[in-house]
Amino acid sequence: MTSLNQNERVGLVFSGGGARAAYEVGVLKAIFSGKCPGAAGQNTPEVFCGTGAGAFNAAVIASRLPRQRPAPVEYLESLWADEIPREGMARNNRIFRRRLDTAQFFDLPYMWRRPLTSWTHYFSDAGMVLPELARRTWQGLTRRNFSAWLNLEMWHDTSPMRRLISESLSLEVIRDGENARSAVGHPQRILRVVATERGSGQAAVFRNSDFTEAVGYDLILASCALPVIFPSVKIHGKDYLYGGLVMQTPLQPAVDAGCTVIHLMHNEPAVDAPLEGEAPNAREMLNSTVAVALSATLGRDLDRRRRTNELIDVFGKVRADTGVDVAPYLPGGALRRVVVHQYRPKQALGGKKGLLDFSREKIKASIAAGERDALAHNCAESGCIL
């Protein structure tokens, strides 16, 4: 993809969804190959907005220089297909580690390779988890409220995810990305990452300049902090968690960044589609509930954008017929037309563990599904806004 139109700014919007965000890698492969019907002849994307695991995808693309090798999408695919499924010779993936994993002691090959690490992790976990269990039990007995037992955060260690983020991103490149156009031949790389402020429930949209050495990696970790499952992340004295609680698919930040063309990637099928393969467990119920609740909000945003485009078309016709430009007299000044291409899977992605299934097999299947769907992209069937 090359720069063809000076007035066109292309943006990529990545939704959250844990392991299902691998689907977005497949869509990117089709878009950057030039074979996706919805992206043919367009400029190189300059705006990257994401929430949750989609924030990780957006940040990786934004932190790669134009001529850096491997290319951004190739590098992102290697992370998902080769790095994320398993951390070296460990039992866990590179997203989280289960605490007090007793089953590891029956994994003889693993125990043979890393006996000291196994016992070290186990006793360290016990020192953290057992006092917390005692506190919750006492609280439940004295207050007759055992709701704290439903919080699964303490059972998941997210230090593998933080290491992955720190090894995959260049914070300096991200910070310089918004000013990159000043360098000859370098498109901008505008990054917007969404997290939710705990307590107020307000959306926090972090920009390139927010990715400092002190908190840059934590911004992505916070956006990925699924409530109940992963712990919140403290940044500048405030706790933040999963951005998808307020903006599962951050369309508006891309519009605010000046995009005229947006490729919007969902990780959930349409709400009215049969969710084949959906696993009936607590994690999936939480994820599906959030997805259904936020799909209505996204639907309203898309309808508003569709009506705006239709209004602009009417203004254009009035101007052509009468020579009068009415747009500057409207509240907010001149309007901007935005084309939105949508990509979403035909059925629920992932295996029995759903959004936390980081197995190599399921990740590769999701990538393949994303590429296949994007190569066969049909704007009419996908509900694109043209």
Side-chain angles (χ1 to χ4, degrees), residues 13-295:
V13 175
F14 304 85
S15 67
R20 292 168 177 163
Y23 178 85
E24 299 163 358
V25 180
V27 175
L28 288 178
K29 289 178 66 177
I31 289 175
F32 278 83
S33 72
K35 299 178 182 178
C36 173
Q42 293 177 4
N43 289 359
T44 299
E46 293 185 329
V47 178
F48 312 96
C49 303
T51 245
F56 173 75
N57 289 343
V60 169
I61 298 296
S63 70
R64 305 290 290 181
L65 294 170
R67 297 179 180 85
Q68 191 172 354
R69 292 291 179 266
V73 178
E74 293 175 4
Y75 179 63
L76 183 61
E77 183 180 17
S78 71
L79 290 176
W80 276 96
D82 302 323
E83 292 292 325
I84 288 177
R86 189 170 296 275
E87 185 175 15
M89 302 178 74
R91 283 170 53 82
N92 55 280
N93 54 59
R94 295 206 65 181
I95 302 301
F96 69 96
R97 180 183 66 84
R98 292 185 182 84
R99 291 195 169 101
L100 286 181
D101 180 15
T102 306
Q104 67 182 325
F105 299 114
F106 298 94
D107 186 344
L108 297 183
Y110 173 71
M111 289 299 295
W112 176 261
R113 293 192 304 265
R114 307 184 69 176
L116 182 60
T117 300
S118 302
W119 287 105
T120 301
H121 278 162
Y122 196 80
F123 284 117
S124 175
D125 292 344
M128 193 210 78
V129 171
L130 296 181
E132 177 63 16
L133 286 176
R135 186 190 68 80
R136 293 185 184 185
T137 302
W138 175 254
Q139 186 181 52
L141 292 173
T142 55
R143 301 181 182 180
R144 296 183 179 181
N145 183 357
F146 289 89
S147 60
W149 278 81
L150 299 177
N151 191 332
L152 306 177
E153 293 175 1
M154 68 176 179
W155 297 105
H156 299 115
D157 174 18
T158 56
S159 61
M161 191 191 323
R162 196 183 195 287
R163 287 196 297 274
L164 173 71
I165 293 170
S166 64
E167 293 169 5
S168 306
L169 304 183
S170 170
L171 298 180
E172 181 180 3
V173 172
I174 288 176
R175 289 195 299 272
D176 293 342
E178 200 152 357
N179 302 316
R181 186 170 280 181
S182 59
V184 178
H186 284 197
Q188 285 184 302
R189 297 180 305 282
I190 298 174
L191 177 63
R192 299 292 184 264
V193 166
V194 180
T196 303
E197 184 181 338
R198 191 167 192 167
S200 70
Q202 296 296 313
V205 181
F206 298 108
R207 308 164 64 92
N208 296 63
S209 57
D210 295 318
F211 282 78
T212 63
E213 299 299 327
V215 301
Y217 303 131
D218 289 335
L219 300 182
I220 304 298
L221 192 63
S223 185
C224 294
L226 290 165
V228 181
I229 299 173
F230 295 149
S232 59
V233 179
K234 189 173 291 293
I235 301 171
H236 300 315
K238 296 181 179 180
D239 288 327
Y240 293 92
L241 40 77
Y242 182 48
L245 293 176
V246 289
M247 211 178 289
Q248 175 74 348
T249 309
L251 176 65
Q252 192 57 46
V255 175
D256 294 340
C259 288
T260 58
V261 178
I262 295 174
H263 295 277
L264 182 66
M265 288 164 265
H266 307 261
N267 295 321
E268 293 282 347
V271 174
D272 57 350
L275 302 182
E276 300 177 18
E278 189 77 3
N281 57 50
R283 295 189 184 104
E284 285 305 300
M285 289 174 63
L286 172 64
N287 185 65
S288 297
T289 300
V290 171
V292 170
L294 292 175
S295 66

Side-chain angles (χ1 to χ4, degrees), residues 1 8-15 23 27 31 36-43 249 251 254-255 259-266 298 302 305-306 309 337-344 373-374 376-386:
M1 302 177 71
E8 178 185 77
R9 169 168 282 181
V10 180
L12 304 176
V13 175
F14 304 85
S15 67
Y23 178 85
V27 175
I31 289 175
C36 173
Q42 293 177 4
N43 289 359
T249 309
L251 176 65
V255 175
C259 288
T260 58
V261 178
I262 295 174
H263 295 277
L264 182 66
M265 288 164 265
H266 307 261
L298 176 61
L302 291 171
R305 175 47 50 190
R306 187 176 286 106
N309 284 0
R337 204 175 198 287
V338 180
V339 172
V340 182
H341 294 281
Q342 297 191 72
Y343 309 84
R344 67 191 316 159
D373 291 348
H377 179 71
N378 184 295
C379 288
E381 294 178 359
S382 302
C384 298
I385 301 174
L386 305 175

